[in-house]
Amino acid sequence: MRFGNDMITFEEAVAYLKDMPRFTVKKNPADSRDLKWFLKKLGNPEKDLRIIHVAGTNGKGSVCAYMSSILREAGYRTAVFTSPHLVDMRERFAVNGEMISEEAFLQEFLAVWDALQETNSANTGDGQRGEEAPQEFVLNFYEYLFCMALLCFAEEKPDYCIIETGLGGRLDATNYVDNKLLTVITRISLDHVQYLGDTTAKIAAEKAGILRPGVPVVYLDGDADASAVICRKASELGAIQIPVSKKDYTFLGFRKKYIDFSLRSEYYNYISLTLHTIARYQMENAALAVRAVEVLFRSTDMPDGRMCAASGCPTVEEIRQGILGCFWQGRMEEVLPEVYVDGAHNDDGIRAFLDTVAEDGCTGGRRLLFGVAADKDCRHMIQRVITSGLFDRIAFTHMRTARSLSLEELKGLLAAYPEDRFTMYTEADTALRTEVSGRQPGERLYIAGSLYLVGEIKESLDHDQF
């Protein structure tokens, strides 16, 4: 396929990216070219960005969104790179709270494309003295998008650039940037164990790979083994460690479809905050975001041990409005009246989802539409939702993605349970229509188990009327 000066559309660029491999392996051990090398070819677009780097198993995207919202409320310009997207690939690139235009997306796509062509067409070896000429330099899907993001953000010149890791941290494409102001590590639990390790300590070691010498790290102190690994790595690098735990915030109650809670601030003692969501787990993510923003503006110690806020630190009201005004789609998002989608895509996500459902104040019946990727801990996730006793009816659906658990595999996992307790669908849009129309008055429908499912549901809602 040829691009460059050829006329192509946004849709063609997206189609090309979707066909790219998700992972690549360097075939020639003598070829030292990597993404850092290619960023230099792009002019090092990251060099002037003031970067906040976020890693973790769950909550990364939410923390990025809350930080960006607070900073924007305080008058700062932000750029955010997150993954995955739910419906539109441009969701991954947000400048001041808005995803970039199709024109900007296409511009950056072509800029990376041109740089790749120039790199691979250059004469990089004379083939003499037995030297093996470097193979064609390629980017995978995620690397390509990350390069696009850096080019876009370099042009936009934000005050702060917030970057979410894709997988792990140490070896993630986003970790090729070094000029970090702050690192943040969210909740760590078992996920992607085939790549990151089979214990929270091993996974934490991969996440802690984003730390840099002397750069503060704000982390969730929720798992003792993970926290110990993060602190040890931070100490080796001379990085200040700022933990956030359940001791730092208190749930005050639901107010219709809002959550009221209090948070211990570094500068303002305890402050009252309101979340525009019924997801209780977002208190944890909002607390991490507030603490991270405060650390950005740390100054000197006060006599009573508290920190002194430097000039420009968001005020209490700016923090309050930033948290209240933040929206992060796919996390206990009400997409239709009494229909909620939640990206609970791993075992810890299911735990948080079920904790929220158990205390969300629903007085009618509950039903669940569930879809899961095959590379997750499917058996345990399905067992948890079935044995929770929270749902009067549970339906399962296959998803369009190749990663979806097949219907045959799903039937095998459900064989231990009475057949009359479940319904199975081959398509998510059919499942959505049937489950929505079949609700009893006052009954609430939850849709969870995979971000792929959330994306399919939201895409169906964009195209159909309910």
Side-chain angles (χ1 to χ4, degrees), residues 368-370 382 393-398 405-415 418-428 430-431 434-435:
L368 172 68
L369 174 60
F370 194 82
I382 289 172
R393 169 187 170 92
I394 301 178
F396 296 89
T397 186
H398 182 261
L405 192 69
S406 70
L407 291 176
E408 291 72 22
E409 291 169 322
L410 185 56
K411 289 177 182 177
L413 293 175
L414 294 175
E419 292 184 7
D420 59 354
R421 293 191 59 187
F422 315 110
T423 303
M424 296 180 62
Y425 296 94
T426 58
E427 297 179 343
T430 301
T434 305
E435 293 300 316

Side-chain angles (χ1 to χ4, degrees), residues 254-398:
F254 287 105
R255 182 162 47 89
K256 292 184 178 179
K257 294 177 181 179
Y258 294 79
I259 289 175
D260 292 328
F261 72 109
S262 66
L263 171 67
R264 183 185 63 80
S265 166
E266 282 208 327
Y267 310 133
Y268 308 117
N269 293 317
Y270 279 88
I271 58 178
S272 60
L273 299 172
T274 299
L275 292 165
H276 192 175
T277 180
I278 63 171
R280 288 187 59 147
Y281 57 79
Q282 291 293 34
M283 289 187 294
E284 172 180 293
N285 296 323
L288 275 167
V290 172
R291 186 70 77 250
V293 169
E294 290 182 330
V295 171
L296 279 177
F297 296 92
R298 266 189 170 190
S299 185
T300 56
D301 292 328
M302 298 282 281
D304 61 0
R306 291 188 298 115
M307 297 302 300
C308 176
S311 174
C313 181
T315 65
V316 170
E317 189 57 27
E318 288 167 345
I319 292 173
R320 185 173 289 126
Q321 291 303 317
I323 292 296
L324 177 61
C326 182
F327 168 73
W328 189 235
Q329 62 176 339
R331 277 68 177 180
M332 272 297 176
E333 176 188 357
E334 189 174 21
V335 293
L336 291 171
E338 295 302 315
V339 177
Y340 290 84
V341 295
D342 190 77
H345 62 285
N346 53 34
D347 190 59
D348 192 65
I350 290 297
R351 174 202 57 77
F353 165 69
L354 294 175
D355 286 348
T356 288
V357 171
E359 300 186 49
D360 66 3
C362 176
T363 57
R366 297 186 179 99
R367 61 173 63 194
L368 172 68
L369 174 60
F370 194 82
V372 64
D375 58 352
K376 301 296 181 177
D377 187 1
C378 307
R379 183 180 302 277
H380 195 209
M381 292 169 69
I382 289 172
Q383 179 187 44
R384 291 189 77 155
V385 298
I386 291 175
T387 59
S388 70
L390 292 170
F391 307 102
D392 304 303
R393 169 187 170 92
I394 301 178
F396 296 89
T397 186
H398 182 261

Side-chain angles (χ1 to χ4, degrees), residues 24-35:
T24 54
V25 178
K26 188 187 295 183
K27 299 181 178 63
N28 182 0
D31 189 353
S32 62
R33 299 176 303 174
D34 57 15
L35 187 58

Side-chain angles (χ1 to χ4, degrees), residues 214-233:
V215 177
V217 55
V218 176
Y219 69 96
L220 182 75
D221 188 12
D223 179 277
D225 292 338
S227 294
V229 170
I230 294 168
C231 290
R232 183 165 59 249
K233 181 66 173 180

